[in-house]
Amino acid sequence: MVARLRDPLIEEFSAACRELVAADADLCEISPRDFDIQLRLYAPSVLSAGHPGHSLETLYDALRRQLIVRCSRIAAYTHDADLMANTSLLIGGGEARRDFTVRRPDGSSVRVSFDQVPADIGHLYQSKLHYLLSPRADTLVEVGCYLQGASHPITYLGFSACDRPGIIEALRRHDVPAERSNLLVLTRALGLSDTARNLMSFTIGQAVRYVRDIGCKYIVTAFNPLLGFTGSALHASNFTPFATAPVAYFYDTLGNYRTRRQSASDKRAERRAGNYRNLLVALGTDSTTRREIRKVKTLEHLAEPTAQKPTPSGARPSLALADLWRYRSRLEAAWSVRTTHPSYAREPLSSKGQCGVSSVWLARRLRQQQIEATYCYGRLRFDDPGISSVDHHCWIEIGAASDPSRQVVDLTVDQADGYEEKVICRRFDELSRDGIHYEPTTRLSVDDLPKDRVWSRYTRLEESMREKWGIQTLYDSV
């Protein structure tokens, strides 16, 4: 099944460049396997129209600069992560065991623990170590395994709520009663340099127990045979194939790879033609749901997913002000000097300087509820001379920028001295008529937020929120 989803031209390209890959991998201090993944990731940019008149070695030279840049970057950050994850404890290999140890070849053992991964470390792993170099803005659960004494995990898993209705529909056509409130998608997985044998499968097994406790009945993930992945760890964890889905390969004007989500905001990114598909696999988290999944014997073939768009005014859900006040109260409890904007760091702790991180948190929260919001940065101005303007402010909007009826949601409007309310949730045009003017200079989608400067402070807020409130159930989250 995996072999049928591979592309013969890319397989030929990879095989022909094996010696070149090995030499450049050594130059970058990365494994030939990891370098080959990047080669395969970039191959559609030069192979989509075949290679008439060009040798495969010539095409490799056309990609070599991007490959060396990406692989050198991954190698440097991986080296640092190896040190913090104590991977030197596993030099020479080892095998993970059920008693939370790794047995080394000499018979000695290394202790292993399974735990949540802090948001800032998760962001590091997704943005700097994972082969896509593309952090997900909607990551909901982050877990991994830690070697004894380590501050960073040796294995990492990131889960998101499902935002592709086609995935749930495909499972239902297989008589699997999946829905957004009982399903998580494993979107990022990686193991560091010296991960022991079976340790990723062990990590997945522990993660299954963890997400089951918050109400997750099904886990779905995808792997790309085009990149040489075999899905061995997933097979060992009893995942079952149930569908295929299109894979999009986008590249910007400089030839750099862009994920489908990154390309949504980069209008210069172009998609390369090709009928490439991922294999989707599913796993039940308890005995009942495992039996349901094991009954699946055929594959559904999903169509192209539709892009996330601002919620139109006619279909826009009403936000309960009571919920927004509850969010504000919880955010206040999680604010700290570490989450405030540097320009307010010396002032007494208040909502000032917390608008960015709070708006990011709310935009993510609303996406989990299938409400697509836009993060806005700009000026807040009042006609009333008794209320001070806020020249640098952040809030969110629901609806298109051209729609005067779009909703403005501001959880920190009390930054404006003289304004009595803490929270605003009103139509843009109504606010303007009342002399309250939100004037954005920057508008970012949720998927664009991880590359914004606010994100590092947001991860500190997210970690504080997790410590104080946790995730009670998956249903509550989505």
Side-chain angles (χ1 to χ4, degrees):
M1 182 183 302
V2 172
R4 291 200 301 270
L5 292 175
R6 289 184 174 152
D7 182 270
L9 196 56
I10 291 181
E11 295 302 313
E12 177 191 3
F13 188 35
S14 173
C17 298
R18 190 168 292 128
E19 291 185 3
L20 297 171
V21 164
D24 281 339
D26 185 61
L27 176 69
C28 297
E29 299 183 347
I30 199 171
S31 74
R33 173 72 188 103
D34 288 336
F35 199 100
D36 182 62
I37 290 172
Q38 297 300 321
L39 174 68
R40 291 167 176 266
L41 194 63
Y42 275 77
S45 69
V46 294
L47 295 179
S48 58
H51 49 93
H54 299 285
S55 68
L56 294 177
E57 290 79 5
T58 299
L59 295 177
Y60 179 86
D61 284 340
L63 298 178
R64 187 168 182 260
R65 181 185 66 83
Q66 283 101 333
L67 298 178
I68 288 178
V69 168
R70 281 177 72 96
C71 289
S72 297
R73 178 182 177 187
I74 292 172
Y77 282 103
T78 300
H79 173 74
D80 290 343
D82 280 337
L83 294 175
M84 293 181 283
N86 290 346
T87 61
S88 60
L89 291 171
L90 299 184
I91 290 176
E95 182 175 0
R97 301 171 68 89
R98 293 182 179 179
D99 62 354
F100 286 85
T101 63
V102 173
R103 180 65 59 84
R104 294 187 287 201
D106 63 2
S108 62
S109 296
V110 176
R111 294 192 308 278
V112 175
S113 61
F114 174 86
D115 206 345
Q116 294 185 55
V117 175
D120 59 340
I121 295 177
H123 177 68
L124 169 69
Y125 278 39
Q126 291 197 26
S127 62
K128 307 298 185 185
L129 277 66
H130 191 270
Y131 73 91
L132 289 175
L133 298 180
S134 174
R136 288 283 294 245
D138 57 353
T139 302
L140 184 62
V141 175
E142 298 178 275
V143 292
C145 280
Y146 295 76
L147 297 181
Q148 59 190 47
S151 62
H152 287 50
I154 188 169
T155 55
Y156 168 84
L157 303 176
F159 296 85
S160 299
C162 182
D163 63 357
R164 304 292 193 212
I167 291 176
I168 295 174
E169 293 166 4
L171 286 169
R172 287 177 175 171
R173 286 193 290 271
H174 287 299
D175 296 323
V176 175
E179 52 190 61
R180 287 190 80 251
S181 61
N182 66 14
L183 182 148
L184 281 172
V185 181
L186 174 57
T187 55
R188 295 290 185 268
L190 67 89
L192 294 182
S193 304
D194 294 303
T195 300
R197 190 160 65 92
N198 299 338
L199 188 53
M200 182 56 77
S201 299
F202 177 83
T203 307
I204 292 173
Q206 297 303 312
V208 168
R209 296 177 178 86
Y210 180 89
V211 300
R212 182 175 61 211
D213 290 343
I214 62 170
C216 176
K217 294 183 177 181
Y218 307 98
I219 298 172
V220 168
T221 192
F223 70 92
N224 188 348
L226 211 70
L227 301 184
F229 296 135
T230 63
S232 57
L234 300 175
H235 178 74
S237 302
N238 297 313
F239 277 84
T240 298
F242 72 93
T244 68
V247 184
Y249 287 86
F250 291 90
Y251 304 90
D252 64 19
T253 53
L254 297 177
N256 297 308
Y257 172 78
R258 291 289 179 262
T259 66
R260 187 191 296 269
R261 292 172 189 272
Q262 288 173 326
S263 68
S265 59
D266 185 355
K267 304 307 179 185
R268 298 169 299 175
E270 294 184 2
R271 182 174 182 174
R272 293 296 187 269
N275 186 26
Y276 308 126
R277 300 187 76 82
N278 275 338
L279 184 64
L280 300 182
V281 294
L283 176 70
T285 64
D286 58 34
S287 58
T288 300
T289 55
R290 287 191 189 107
R291 284 195 297 270
E292 293 169 348
I293 294 294
R294 281 199 294 266
K295 292 179 182 178
V296 176
K297 302 299 181 184
T298 60
L299 293 180
E300 295 286 325
H301 299 290
L302 275 59
E304 288 281 347
T306 56
Q308 294 278 3
K309 296 180 179 178
T311 307
S313 58
R316 195 171 301 145
S318 58
L319 300 179
L321 198 57
D323 286 340
L324 297 177
W325 274 98
R326 179 167 55 89
Y327 296 158
R328 165 62 190 251
S329 177
R330 290 193 168 191
L331 287 165
E332 278 190 41
W335 290 340
S336 68
V337 173
R338 297 179 69 243
T339 64
T340 195
H341 190 276
S343 60
Y344 294 96
R346 295 182 179 275
E347 296 190 16
L349 189 63
S350 70
S351 64
K352 292 184 177 180
Q354 306 288 352
C355 57
V357 294
S358 301
S359 296
V360 173
W361 184 90
L362 180 60
R364 277 176 32 97
R365 175 76 179 185
L366 293 179
R367 171 173 281 191
Q368 291 164 13
Q369 300 170 8
Q370 296 184 287
I371 302 172
E372 202 62 24
T374 300
Y375 174 91
C376 298
Y377 167 78
R379 188 170 188 240
L380 171 58
R381 181 172 57 83
F382 297 85
D383 289 346
D384 185 342
I387 305 174
S388 65
S389 297
V390 184
D391 291 334
H392 305 283
H393 189 48
C394 301
W395 63 94
I396 70 164
E397 294 183 1
I398 303 171
S402 58
D403 183 357
S405 69
R406 65 188 183 273
Q407 277 183 299
V408 172
V409 187
D410 186 351
L411 295 183
T412 59
V413 66
D414 54 324
Q415 287 187 89
D417 292 330
Y419 194 77
E420 295 181 356
E421 297 294 331
K422 291 184 176 182
V423 174
I424 273 182
C425 180
R426 295 179 59 191
R427 286 172 46 141
F428 178 84
D429 51 1
E430 292 176 351
L431 288 168
S432 297
R433 283 197 297 269
D434 290 344
I436 304 172
H437 306 283
Y438 283 85
E439 301 169 345
T441 57
T442 300
R443 298 172 61 87
L444 298 174
S445 71
V446 173
D447 291 322
D448 288 330
L449 289 172
K451 63 187 178 185
D452 191 79
R453 287 177 292 181
V454 72
W455 193 262
S456 62
R457 286 188 293 113
Y458 161 71
T459 61
R460 300 166 197 157
L461 174 71
E462 176 64 24
E463 186 59 28
S464 180
M465 293 289 283
R466 291 179 188 178
E467 290 175 357
K468 292 180 181 297
W469 311 110
I471 301 175
Q472 294 180 354
T473 67
L474 178 59
Y475 180 82
D476 289 338
S477 299
V478 302

